[in-house]
């Protein structure tokens, strides 16, 4: 049942470090648009060691939590239930605290990726490439399990990472082939390319972008654009950004925590863009 605007409820994002999280800007903008005047959304620097104590102190006024690194797996033992989506990648980024006291975990990153792609007109692809093999890469693979009908090639730096990605492929029922990072330029010719690596990692690949690129999903949003995204869009290719992902996963979080649907996507995106602009123009 949708909440009343006068209900005093709390939500927050947890992680470490957390100071630069855009989640408060997105969620607060949604509350304002939805008329949820009694709702608040904060950020708390919480690491794995402090997480159980934080959960122990949660009172009935709490509606939900957003989780970032390093808590997405550490939180699972503290929950009463997790969704199939979260279980598929052993990662929870959303906790909803129900009226009967249950703590239910979900992963909105995966459907958030699918929604961000859909917003850019990508409903299905026959093959894809993933640059990287970390936690975000496994979420990308889970998203591709929903929209990719053929092979996914993961470009990685070590055989250990390659084995992990092949194992994720088996678990998610996705046809995964691994290739050496040295050959990552070949992956840029795929109909859909996920760049899931830390800032700067793909800069050297920008000079190898094909003249007619298809779609790039670069999960970074600050700094933006990345060298790869700038070259990609310069050649006329479609680019989905990390801010697109952040907005769409937050939309799903707001809907789950508040019961209000649909969440205001455009309002939340503008709030995220403004927060980023303010950060870039501010001191330091």
């Amino acid at each position: 049942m949708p909440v009343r605007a006068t209900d005093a409820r709390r939500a927050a994002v947890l992680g470490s470090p957390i100071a630069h999280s855009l989640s408060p800007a997105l969620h607060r903008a949604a509350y304002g648009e939805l008329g949820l005047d009694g709702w608040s959304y904060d950020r708390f620097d919480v690491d794995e060691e402090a997480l159980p104590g934080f959960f122990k102190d949660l009172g009935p006024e709490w509606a939900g939590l957003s989780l970032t690194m390093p808590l997405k797996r550490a939180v699972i033992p503290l929950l009463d239930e997790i969704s199939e989506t979260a279980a598929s990648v052993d990662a929870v980024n959303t906790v909803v605290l129900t009226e009967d006291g249950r703590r239910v975990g979900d992963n909105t990153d995966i459907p958030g990726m699918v929604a961000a792609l859909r917003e850019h007109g990508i409903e299905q692809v026959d093959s894809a490439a993933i640059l990287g093999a970390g936690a975000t890469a496994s979420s990308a693979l889970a998203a591709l399990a929903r929209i990719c009908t053929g092979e996914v090639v993961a470009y990685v730096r070590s055989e250990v990472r390659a084995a992990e990605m092949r194992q994720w492929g088996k678990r998610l029922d996705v046809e995964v082939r691994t290739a050496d990072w040295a050959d990552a330029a070949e992956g840029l010719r795929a109909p859909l390319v996920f760049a899931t690596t830390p800032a700067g990692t793909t800069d050297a690949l920008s000079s190898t972008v094909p003249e007619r690129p298809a779609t790039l999903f670069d999960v970074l949003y600050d700094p933006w654009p990345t060298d790869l995204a700038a070259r990609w869009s310069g050649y006329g290719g479609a680019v989905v950004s990390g801010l697109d992902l952040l907005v769409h996963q937050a939309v799903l979080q707001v809907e789950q925590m508040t019961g209000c649907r649909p969440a205001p996507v455009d309002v939340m995106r503008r709030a995220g863009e403004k927060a980023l602009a303010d950060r870039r123009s501010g001191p330091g």
Side-chain angles (χ1 to χ4, degrees):
M1 177 181 297
V3 296
R4 297 187 303 273
T6 54
D7 287 346
R9 303 301 304 277
R10 298 187 68 184
V13 59
L14 313 182
S16 186
I18 201 64
H20 294 291
S21 173
L22 294 182
S23 292
L26 300 180
H27 285 252
R28 291 169 185 170
Y31 298 165
E33 182 69 13
L34 293 169
L36 301 178
D37 301 329
W39 282 63
S40 64
Y41 189 100
D42 302 295
R43 61 166 68 90
F44 294 94
D45 196 304
V46 177
D47 59 16
E48 293 165 288
E49 184 177 355
L51 187 61
F54 189 95
F55 263 67
K56 185 178 180 180
D57 293 336
L58 293 175
E61 74 278 12
W62 282 90
L65 299 168
S66 308
L67 301 171
T68 186
M69 298 303 292
L71 306 178
K72 292 185 179 184
R73 290 183 178 165
V75 74
I76 293 176
L78 304 176
L79 303 177
D80 298 301
E81 176 187 347
I82 65 172
S83 68
E84 290 184 9
T85 301
S88 72
V89 290
D90 290 335
V92 166
N93 78 325
T94 306
V95 176
V96 175
L97 303 163
T98 66
E99 290 184 359
D100 61 0
R102 292 176 59 77
R103 297 166 177 178
V104 181
D106 193 15
N107 186 310
T108 65
D109 286 331
I110 295 165
M113 287 178 175
V114 174
L117 287 166
R118 184 180 300 118
E119 186 178 53
H120 285 75
I122 307 299
E123 299 276 354
Q124 188 178 87
V125 292
D126 58 14
S127 63
I130 297 178
L131 307 179
T136 306
S138 63
S139 292
L141 198 57
L144 288 169
R146 303 183 179 195
I147 67 167
C148 184
T149 60
E151 181 183 68
V152 176
V153 183
Y155 293 86
V156 301
R157 293 187 182 276
S158 71
E159 178 52 37
V160 171
R161 290 293 199 180
E164 290 175 354
M165 288 300 285
R166 290 193 294 268
Q167 187 61 38
W168 279 117
K170 291 179 181 178
R171 180 169 175 172
L172 295 164
D173 197 23
V174 179
E175 182 184 351
V176 175
R177 177 169 62 87
T178 55
D180 192 270
W181 182 261
D183 299 320
E186 296 177 6
L188 303 187
R189 295 177 173 80
L192 173 59
V193 180
F194 269 95
T196 69
T197 54
T201 306
T202 61
D203 288 357
L205 292 174
S206 61
S207 62
T208 66
V209 173
E211 290 186 3
R212 295 183 179 179
T215 300
L216 171 69
F217 197 145
D218 194 324
V219 302
L220 297 174
Y221 60 84
D222 190 20
W224 187 264
T226 62
D227 287 357
L228 181 62
R231 181 66 66 91
W232 199 278
S233 59
Y235 279 166
V239 176
V240 185
S241 74
L243 183 59
D244 293 323
L245 168 59
L246 192 66
V247 168
H248 280 285
Q249 63 84 27
V251 161
L252 296 169
Q253 289 183 336
V254 168
E255 292 177 349
Q256 289 188 28
M257 293 178 191
T258 69
C260 297
R261 294 180 173 82
V265 180
D266 292 339
V267 169
M268 295 171 70
R269 188 191 312 279
R270 289 195 294 271
E273 291 170 345
K274 182 180 185 302
L276 278 176
D278 291 347
R279 178 184 300 177
R280 291 163 183 163
S281 63

